[in-house]
Amino acid sequence: MHEMWKQYFVEGLLKGTVRYPSTRRLSPKIMRIFTEQVSQIFPLNKEQIHIADYALGSMTAEKISPLAITSPKVILYFHGGGFCLGSLKSHRAWICDLVRASKIPAIHLDYPLAPETTFPESAEAIYHAYITLVESGIEPKNIILAGDDSGANIALSLALRLVRQKTTALPCALILLSPFLDLTLTSGSVRYNQKHDAVMSPKFLQQAIHYYLDHTNYEVDNPRVSPLFDDLRGLPPLFIQVGSKSLLMDDAKRLKEMADTAEVEATYKLYTGMWHNFFMFNAWFEEGQTALHDIAHFVEQLKEDA
């Protein structure tokens, strides 16, 4: 099938099977079951990969490793899903692809979701997971924080907390994919890309924010929950990746602009014609493969700079 027609067909399918259900007021429990089922479309390639159960404090995780490890670096990965969806299973195929391309292990954390666990309790659990990882003997200079969607928010918020506290060493870098960073939803692309993004809807984001901040005293513009309103000075290098049709494209673009102002090293990659979290579709689209290779190149540079 010609690439143009293949993309047209897949986008139409996703709009009907993923984006449309996200506009309905379905419970998180139902949406999680739905997400688990949809995630089965991603081919799980375990070639040259080892998957093992892992624990960080009270939280479970999966450590996904290449069979031949040549670097001490490790990725601590937070899956996306608007703070209320996503799991080890939903992102397992993507993490395997990421590990295979980057040639370093990834610890994929099964962190607590909203509305059962809201902010700031969820942030505290994630912070203690990072501290536990460091105390296990993995040096911060070898840790890369990474995440997609709300997971990117979690990764960036954690790094900013470490900058403020100055008591625990920072990770060596952050990889932020289709990041959801402004919970005020004032990024322009939330409005002008709502008909173009194949998987994300403003209604889902609004409901997800409600779950995440339910019964808390935190407003959506608080820098602790919307890191685009925080001071980025002191952060390690950032790798930012987003599709031009993503509802959250401007969150990524604004982050790059803020990083430049704060004199934080930031690599920004925009992929034309791609929707939210398009990189998870790398098995079918050249842009997804390019995105994966770009991440691997960034990681390789970190190895060389160590």
Side-chain angles (χ1 to χ4, degrees):
M1 185 184 296
H2 190 279
E3 283 294 315
M4 181 184 71
W5 288 110
K6 181 170 67 172
Q7 181 170 336
Y8 181 80
F9 172 77
V10 171
E11 285 193 63
L13 185 65
L14 290 172
K15 286 178 180 179
T17 59
V18 179
R19 190 180 73 181
Y20 178 74
S22 77
T23 66
R24 307 294 93 185
R25 295 185 63 87
L26 302 175
S27 71
K29 185 175 181 180
I30 292 175
M31 285 297 292
R32 287 169 193 166
I33 295 172
F34 175 73
T35 302
E36 295 268 317
Q37 294 300 314
V38 170
S39 68
Q40 293 183 36
I41 68 170
F42 301 117
L44 179 56
N45 182 358
K46 296 182 180 180
E47 183 180 352
Q48 300 299 309
I49 291 292
H50 177 69
I51 303 176
D53 293 335
Y54 198 85
L56 283 176
S58 61
M59 278 190 275
T60 59
E62 281 185 344
K63 187 172 184 179
I64 302 177
S65 308
L67 293 185
I69 300 175
T70 59
S71 169
K73 287 197 167 16
V74 63
I75 297 170
L76 179 58
Y77 196 95
F78 308 101
H79 66 74
F83 306 105
C84 59
L85 304 179
S87 66
L88 299 181
K89 182 178 180 181
S90 69
H91 281 60
R92 187 175 292 134
W94 159 242
I95 303 296
C96 285
D97 292 339
L98 175 61
V99 166
R100 189 178 298 101
S102 64
K103 300 181 176 63
I104 61 173
I107 297 171
H108 183 198
L109 191 64
D110 190 21
Y111 61 88
L113 300 177
E116 293 86 352
T117 305
T118 57
F119 187 88
E121 286 77 14
S122 56
E124 283 299 313
I126 289 160
Y127 169 74
H128 287 295
Y130 177 81
I131 297 300
T132 301
L133 184 62
V134 172
E135 291 176 346
S136 74
I138 299 179
E139 296 184 73
K141 69 178 183 180
N142 288 323
I143 299 174
I144 303 169
L145 297 183
D148 62 276
D149 183 72
S150 55
N153 180 307
I154 289 168
L156 181 56
S157 296
L158 172 58
L160 288 167
R161 176 174 178 171
L162 296 171
V163 170
R164 289 192 299 271
Q165 292 185 173
K166 300 179 181 179
T167 56
T168 304
L170 293 170
C172 68
L174 284 82
I175 297 173
L176 308 173
L177 312 175
S178 297
F180 180 22
L181 306 175
D182 179 3
L183 274 62
T184 69
L185 300 183
T186 53
S187 284
S189 56
V190 174
R191 180 183 72 259
Y192 61 71
N193 268 346
Q194 60 181 306
K195 291 184 178 180
H196 304 299
D197 196 321
V199 301
M200 183 70 76
S201 71
K203 287 186 179 180
F204 171 74
L205 292 178
Q206 291 164 359
Q207 191 62 44
I209 293 166
H210 169 72
Y211 290 142
Y212 188 50
L213 300 181
D214 192 25
H215 303 303
T216 74
N217 295 321
Y218 289 85
E219 299 295 334
V220 290
D221 60 352
N222 189 298
R224 303 300 184 265
V225 297
S226 290
L228 276 186
F229 298 105
D230 212 333
D231 182 354
L232 302 187
R233 288 176 295 179
L235 283 173
L238 311 179
F239 180 86
I240 309 161
Q241 188 179 89
V242 73
S244 66
K245 290 183 177 180
S246 172
L247 214 63
L248 302 174
M249 182 187 73
D250 283 349
D251 278 29
K253 181 180 177 182
R254 289 164 62 195
L255 178 62
K256 166 60 175 172
E257 293 168 351
M258 290 177 58
D260 289 345
T261 300
E263 298 184 342
V264 171
E265 182 183 339
T267 301
Y268 172 76
K269 296 283 187 176
L270 178 68
Y271 301 84
T272 303
M274 291 290 103
W275 52 87
H276 183 70
N277 275 23
F278 71 96
F279 46 84
M280 296 180 73
F281 296 80
N282 64 83
W284 301 293
F285 292 97
E286 183 178 342
E287 290 85 354
Q289 281 292 322
T290 300
L292 189 58
H293 292 155
D294 288 342
I295 297 171
H297 178 67
F298 177 75
V299 171
E300 194 61 36
Q301 288 181 314
L302 295 175
K303 295 178 189 176
E304 294 172 359
D305 295 340

